[in-house]
C-alpha cells in the first residue's frame, strides 16, 4: 500500500471486468486455479496485498495480476496466492485514516 499526497493523481488500476466480484476458489482458502477478474492476494513488497487477476496465462502455474490502488502488475505462481481481504463497512471506524480514489476526477485523497 503506497501513500500518495492528497490531490496527487496516481494511475488507477485497470477497471476490473464484471467477474471481479468473484472470491477466491476453494472452501479451505487454498487457491488452485484462477479466473480473469478474480480478486486474490499476492506478495508485494514483502506483504500479501489485494490484487485482481488480469490474465490466466493459459491456465498454467502462473498468472498475471494487477495490485489494487497502485498501478503495479506482475506475474506470480497461482500456488502462492491467497484469498483477498477486504474491510467490511462495519469495520471502518469514524476518524480512521484512509486513502481512496474519487471516481469523478480520478484523484487519490487521504
Amino acid at each position: 500500500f503506497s501513500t500518495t499526497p492528497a490531490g496527487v493523481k496516481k494511475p488507477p488500476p485497470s477497471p476490473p471486468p464484471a467477474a471481479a466480484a468473484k472470491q477466491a476458489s476453494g472452501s479451505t482458502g487454498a487457491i488452485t486455479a484462477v479466473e480473469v477478474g478474480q480478486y486474490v492476494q499476492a506478495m508485494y513488497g514483502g506483504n500479501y496485498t489485494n490484487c485482481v487477476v488480469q490474465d490466466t496465462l493459459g491456465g498454467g502455474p502462473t498468472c498475471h495480476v494487477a495490485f489494487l490502488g497502485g498501478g503495479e502488475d506482475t506475474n506470480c505462481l497461482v500456488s502462492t496466492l491467497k484469498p483477498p481481504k477486504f474491510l467490511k463497512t462495519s469495520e471502518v471506524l469514524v476518524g480512521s485514516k484512509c486513502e481512496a480514489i474519487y471516481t469523478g476526477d480520478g484523484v487519490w485523497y487521504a
Side-chain angles (χ1 to χ4, degrees):
F1 199 106
S2 64
T3 57
T4 302
V8 174
K9 282 199 178 217
K10 165 163 87 166
S14 299
K22 292 187 178 192
Q23 294 294 316
S25 62
S27 59
T28 63
I31 297 177
T32 57
V34 293
E35 296 178 16
V36 171
Q38 181 178 348
Y39 285 116
V40 295
Q41 282 193 339
M43 189 63 70
Y44 178 76
N47 297 305
Y48 275 94
T49 304
N50 288 335
C51 54
V52 63
V53 176
Q54 297 289 301
D55 192 338
T56 61
L57 301 177
T62 59
C63 65
H64 189 81
V65 300
F67 293 96
L68 302 181
E72 301 273 335
D73 60 286
T74 189
N75 289 345
C76 56
L77 290 170
V78 171
S79 62
T80 64
L81 300 176
K82 291 185 174 186
K85 291 184 182 177
F86 295 105
L87 288 176
K88 296 179 180 133
T89 54
S90 62
E91 297 173 328
V92 180
L93 303 174
V94 173
S96 297
K97 292 185 179 183
C98 63
E99 178 180 79
I101 190 169
Y102 174 54
T103 56
D105 61 11
V107 175
W108 283 86
Y109 294 92

